[in-house]
Amino acid sequence: GSIGVYAGNTAGGTAVHAEGNATQARDKGGFVKAMAYIDPFRLAAEYVVHCYNSQPGGNASSTAPCGITVTRTWDGIYTIDFGFKVENRFISLTPRGHYGDSAGGGNGLRTGIVSSVIGNKVTVAFSQRDDPETTSDTAFYIIVY
């Protein structure tokens, strides 16, 4: 029942530690507001594999889908709705995938861009690094600060 956040001040000690979920008002800086590992090779209802969302609170903040919905609009193009305003937040996007296999001979990396951030939603697109005109599916990490 007590406050579970403290600051450390010893050399090599903890700067900030939270016992349980750390939340922060959306308009404040510092903590991650939301993050997810998204795998579009699963069923649509299971796209959000691992996640954290500081806004819903309780178990909903760290139990997939964490109040996050993902819509695949085309090969490699996704809209992620975080359920809270993200348009004035910093977004970090990391593709997690290669294209091709040993049979097809492909070994290129995927690149990803944040194509729009409007209200609660972030739209991202992924393509093959050597063919940026062709979007293609890949798993990815997205973080909202």
Side-chain angles (χ1 to χ4, degrees), residues 11-84:
T14 302
V16 176
H17 178 85
E19 298 288 340
N21 292 329
T23 63
Q24 184 180 48
R26 190 199 63 79
D27 64 334
K28 304 296 184 235
F31 291 145
V32 167
K33 304 301 183 284
M35 58 185 157
Y37 170 60
I38 297 169
D39 184 351
F41 300 105
R42 295 174 172 247
L43 297 173
E46 300 172 356
Y47 280 175
V48 179
V49 179
H50 303 290
C51 54
Y52 171 73
N53 186 340
S54 67
Q55 303 308 300
N59 288 339
S61 66
S62 57
T63 303
C66 304
I68 300 168
T69 57
V70 179
T71 304
R72 179 181 177 270
T73 56
W74 193 257
D75 292 350
I77 301 174
Y78 311 93
T79 299
I80 303 96
D81 186 336
F82 288 94
F84 66 95

Side-chain angles (χ1 to χ4, degrees), residues 20 129 131:
R129 185 172 58 186
D131 183 9

